[in-house]
Amino acid sequence: MGADETTGARPTGPSRRTFLTASAAATAAAVATPVAATPAAAAQTTAPPGPGRPITPQPPDRELRALLREIDRHRIEATVRRLAAFGTRHTLSDQDDPERGIGAARDWIHQRLTGYAAASGGRMTVQLQSYVQQPASRIPVATRITNVVATLRGDTAPERVYVVTGHYDSRATDVLDAVSDAPGADDDASGVAVLMELARVLATRRTEATIVFAAVAGEEQGLYGSTYLAGQLKAAGVDVQGMFSNDIVGSSTADDGTRDPRLVRLFAEGVPTAETPAEASTRQSVGGENDSPSRQLARFVTDVADHSLTDMRVRVIYRRDRYLRGSDHIPFLQQGWPAGRFTEPNEDFAHQHQDVRVVDGKQYGDLPEFCDFDYITRVARVNGAALWSLAQGPGTPKGVVVVTTNLTNDTTLRWRRGDEPDLAGYEVVWRETTAAQWQRVIAVGDVTEATVDLSKDNVFFGVRAVDRAGRRSPVAFPRPGS
């Protein structure tokens, strides 16, 4: 029988209405220095009465603090400026010119990532992942598309994988113009700079799970590189438990001059792109439109990366992407994996997809002078906090079901135990159906079943894993079962 964690509004003595669990073991709590939460993170602690304690953000560990301090603004700026200096990185541009075009950019990225991998003791490998795209939409002739992929293999759970991308191709006004200057500083040298700086910092560190850093091509022509990457991972049976696309993360200034330098948007879909008709029927019957794996991943990011060490607030947008736009997370969603897109809070469309020119005294074009390098650095810290917390923590629980074989006023949840060597146990989380964030948490110990004295008809439940250091996994939303 688990310890009663109800509030004073409920009886404290044993009764049918108390929380039940298969074990009295409690999950160990993390011991860490408190870090100031942003208003968004602090809002998560507002909780209704009921079983458990209020949810609190996961505090950063000592290693994460050190990692975030190492992220270098000057290196990020140098990367953006170097990529912009290739003139154009259009997917259809020259692949053999050593100075200009997508081939020169590809080779430079590969060289830099290979240099970072040299410090990893063999744990990071770098490859050029190429294929020939036959004529298709925005690809008028057969074209070699190459992703530059650095893989940091995990030590204890290498089969569990997290992916971060930025696209290194660029474009001018005409999507088929492979000749004109298209510096692509914000879109998307900024995203490539984020993943390259994270690859540099993480190459010297050991992680439990595997992280893939991918500079992908062909995004502007139709997500070709990321589609190929996702397909290759799927064909290899890789367990991708989270993916982030960093696309247009270079500026904090809108077209009207509005600045919001400490906010980044994270787009996360509700209804899964890859949902089957049977899954849709289940979702419609129980509710779950706000509980897709991608939404759980986004909630995890706000839990671990929305604090004073990143100096950023993560604004989760309940959409797959912006109107009329789409980024490299979409092919991963199509494969059924949780994924989201980081992007700046307010865009200036005079500096995206534009020929470099001056009209009536106004400068057009995606030039480095319009980037905010301090902002990109903070976005990199958000990504770093999320990836480190994912790769060092336990995996998302699998096989989670809410038992629906009988009509009851309590709720029983079951799941499969993970095989992490440092797994401490599990926590049941719950929230009001109208709440955006999880509100209360109940430590249930190292078990695979727990019963909570709360009706599944009235609230939403989830399950997350916890390791011995107090690191948590993203939440798994249960499906009805037995």
Side-chain angles (χ1 to χ4, degrees), residues 102-325:
I102 194 166
R106 172 202 63 214
D107 294 343
W108 182 82
I109 294 168
H110 181 262
Q111 178 188 40
R112 300 295 289 185
L113 288 175
T114 300
Y116 302 154
S120 72
R123 290 174 296 107
M124 179 180 282
T125 57
V126 183
Q127 69 172 123
L128 294 173
Q129 182 189 70
S130 297
Y131 80 104
V132 175
Q133 175 61 51
Q134 296 303 315
S137 175
R138 297 185 174 185
I139 303 286
V141 297
T143 301
R144 185 169 81 250
I145 292 177
T146 303
N147 301 321
V148 189
V149 182
T151 302
L152 180 65
R153 183 176 174 82
D155 285 343
T156 59
E159 71 288 344
R160 176 162 49 96
V161 174
Y162 302 97
V163 181
V164 58
T165 68
H167 69 87
Y168 72 98
D169 61 306
S170 64
R171 60 165 286 186
T173 301
D174 180 353
V175 72
L176 294 178
D177 180 358
V179 177
S180 298
D181 282 350
D186 191 1
D187 186 13
D188 183 38
S190 64
V192 176
V194 166
L195 77 89
M196 290 182 67
E197 179 63 2
L198 292 177
R200 182 188 73 85
V201 170
L202 284 163
T204 59
R205 291 173 162 83
R206 292 187 173 276
T207 58
E208 295 184 9
T210 296
I211 305 176
V212 173
F213 309 86
V216 297
E219 192 272 351
E220 301 290 6
Q221 308 309 111
L223 310 181
Y224 286 100
S226 54
T227 298
Y228 185 74
L229 172 63
Q232 292 296 104
L233 292 170
K234 189 72 170 183
V238 174
D239 181 18
V240 177
Q241 293 198 10
M243 182 272 179
F244 302 112
S245 168
N246 284 269
D247 193 355
I248 311 181
V249 294
S251 174
S252 59
T253 306
D255 51 6
D256 63 356
T258 302
R259 294 192 70 244
D260 202 340
R262 286 175 171 76
L263 176 69
V264 64
R265 290 184 290 176
L266 175 55
F267 283 83
E269 71 175 11
V271 176
T273 293
E275 184 179 70
T276 66
E279 290 167 341
S281 178
T282 298
R283 173 180 53 77
Q284 290 162 355
S285 68
V286 303
E289 296 80 4
N290 197 18
D291 282 286
S292 67
S294 295
R295 291 275 166 89
Q296 307 302 350
L297 181 65
R299 290 182 178 114
F300 180 88
V301 172
T302 64
D303 189 49
V304 302
D306 194 329
H307 49 60
S308 61
L309 293 183
T310 63
D311 200 18
M312 287 286 267
R313 183 165 68 87
V314 179
R315 182 184 180 189
V316 179
I317 306 293
Y318 285 170
R319 288 196 173 99
R320 186 171 75 169
D321 211 322
R322 303 154 304 154
Y323 282 104
L324 303 177
R325 309 293 282 276

Side-chain angles (χ1 to χ4, degrees), residues 359-446:
V359 178
D360 297 329
K362 180 179 177 64
Q363 178 70 63
Y364 288 80
D366 191 354
L367 299 164
E369 62 210 61
F370 299 117
C371 286
D372 178 343
F373 298 107
D374 290 324
Y375 178 80
I376 303 173
T377 303
R378 287 190 290 273
V379 172
R381 291 191 184 116
V382 169
N383 277 261
L387 287 167
W388 177 260
S389 301
L390 287 165
Q392 289 297 82
T396 305
K398 296 186 176 183
V400 181
V401 299
V402 54
V403 177
T404 55
T405 52
N406 297 300
L407 296 175
T408 63
N409 281 320
D410 54 20
T411 301
T412 296
L413 297 140
R414 295 179 180 139
W415 55 91
R416 296 199 302 270
R417 190 184 187 280
D419 57 4
E420 295 88 351
D422 61 345
L423 180 67
Y426 293 87
E427 295 176 338
V428 172
V429 297
W430 64 271
R431 70 179 198 275
E432 298 283 359
T433 61
T434 54
Q437 301 286 350
W438 297 109
Q439 295 174 304
R440 298 191 78 89
V441 57
I442 305 164
V444 298
D446 191 358

